[in-house]
Amino acid sequence: MNSNAYGKPVPPKKDRREQARESARLMREEQQKRDKRKRLFMRGGIGAGLLAVAAIVALVIVNSVGPAAAGPANMASDGILLTGDGSAITATPTKALAADAKPIATDRTALTGTANIAVYVDYLCPYCGQFEATNGAQIASWVTAGTATLEFHPISILDSNSAGSKYSTRAANAVACVANYQPDDFLAVNMALFASQPKESTTGLTDAELAGLVKTAGVTDKKVASCITDRAFASWLGAATKRALAGPLPDADIKKISGTPTVLVNGVAYTGALDNATTFSDFVTAQVAAK
């Protein structure tokens, strides 16, 4: 019996199908438990809070409507696709989207036999930071080995939680600048941003501090700093956020995102614990086996 890149023995194909069905059964049971807790939660009088969240999402959609602007290079899908060759991670090059152009979904027909992971993140979101701290290193190792791909979609839904500084937009704009000018260092900058993630209801890093963080992470192109301070891709980011909130999401079993992080593996939304690396690894293994 061989071993796969996810650290587990690879069973025969028949057993893998049975494991996938069992994993799916367990996930359905867990989802049913979550749905039951949610119903009890609503009965407890928290419905008004959830309505407030919906109002915030609606406000984000309204506020994200602005002048059309061109997007960054290498993010034609509203995300950046990272792949590995066994030794290094590189970004898949794409042309910049013109203003008002629709994003071009990543062609996954050639991405067979791998775990295709897509993550929608807000850099102020504490749950995104939790997911990154728990799973970031193992995902990076899978991508480096070539057994997984990673498509990052930065969005901004928490600007109102940064004491007026619009940190969500500014941090996402910073990674868009990196994607445009030095895309192979995107993952290093992503990790650095989460390592320095501010708490909600604070202003977070200034534009100058974001430029310094990016430089420390290894970005040497001098145009990145001015791109960050000019907030060059802020308008495009607002449009990309609106698209993620309104849907439809490409290659997904859910229509749209309802919060961050939203994590998809081979098009299936992950609903397990964000702070349990084993749970996520098992989910990835199940999706690869089911594919």
Side-chain angles (χ1 to χ4, degrees):
M1 188 175 291
N2 298 324
S3 295
N4 68 10
Y6 310 107
K8 295 183 180 294
V10 179
K13 188 173 183 179
K14 178 181 178 182
D15 291 347
R16 291 202 304 270
R17 287 196 299 267
E18 292 176 354
Q19 288 179 358
R21 286 194 292 267
E22 176 64 12
S23 179
R25 184 187 67 80
L26 292 174
M27 284 187 286
R28 284 195 301 271
E29 289 180 355
E30 181 62 26
Q31 183 63 50
Q32 290 170 354
K33 292 177 182 178
R34 281 194 293 270
D35 291 342
K36 183 177 180 180
R37 288 195 297 268
K38 186 183 293 184
R39 288 193 297 270
L40 293 174
F41 190 67
M42 289 291 290
R43 290 169 188 168
I46 311 300
L50 295 180
L51 289 175
V53 171
I56 291 171
V57 171
L59 183 61
V60 169
I61 294 176
V62 172
N63 289 343
S64 67
V65 178
N74 311 309
M75 297 190 78
S77 66
D78 281 350
I80 184 169
L81 179 66
L82 306 174
T83 63
D85 61 3
S87 60
I89 294 174
T90 57
T92 302
T94 61
K95 293 182 179 180
L97 280 179
D100 285 330
K102 293 182 179 180
I104 303 168
T106 296
D107 182 2
R108 300 190 181 277
T109 55
L111 303 177
T112 58
T114 60
N116 300 314
I117 303 169
V119 185
Y120 292 77
V121 299
D122 184 306
Y123 286 100
L124 187 59
C125 163
Y127 300 110
C128 297
Q130 186 181 66
F131 180 80
E132 168 65 25
T134 303
N135 299 289
Q138 74 172 354
I139 292 174
S141 69
W142 298 338
V143 177
T144 300
T147 58
T149 66
L150 177 60
E151 188 164 347
F152 253 102
H153 295 264
I155 60 174
S156 57
I157 60 176
L158 292 175
D159 273 342
S160 61
N161 288 22
S162 57
S165 79
K166 295 187 176 181
Y167 180 78
S168 292
T169 290
R170 294 187 299 105
N173 173 73
V175 295
C177 292
V178 173
N180 188 76
Y181 291 108
Q182 203 165 318
D184 290 348
D185 287 302
F186 182 95
L187 194 57
V189 172
N190 174 78
M191 292 177 177
L193 278 170
F194 279 121
S196 301
Q197 186 181 48
K199 293 182 179 180
E200 289 183 290
S201 301
T202 68
T203 57
L205 303 177
T206 65
D207 288 340
E209 288 170 333
L210 284 170
L213 178 147
V214 164
K215 184 177 180 180
T216 301
V219 175
T220 56
D221 194 314
K222 294 181 179 179
K223 294 187 287 293
V224 173
S226 59
C227 178
I228 291 173
T229 55
D230 292 344
R231 304 182 189 180
F233 296 115
S235 293
W236 164 81
L237 180 65
T241 299
K242 179 184 177 183
R243 287 190 284 266
L245 290 168
L249 299 183
D251 302 315
D253 67 345
I254 56 174
K255 180 182 177 182
K256 58 188 178 181
I257 72 159
S258 57
T260 53
T262 293
V263 183
L264 304 165
V265 180
N266 292 346
V268 180
Y270 174 64
T271 58
L274 299 174
D275 59 352
N276 190 316
T278 300
T279 299
F280 182 66
S281 179
D282 288 345
F283 177 79
V284 171
T285 300
Q287 300 317 309
V288 173
K291 187 177 179 181

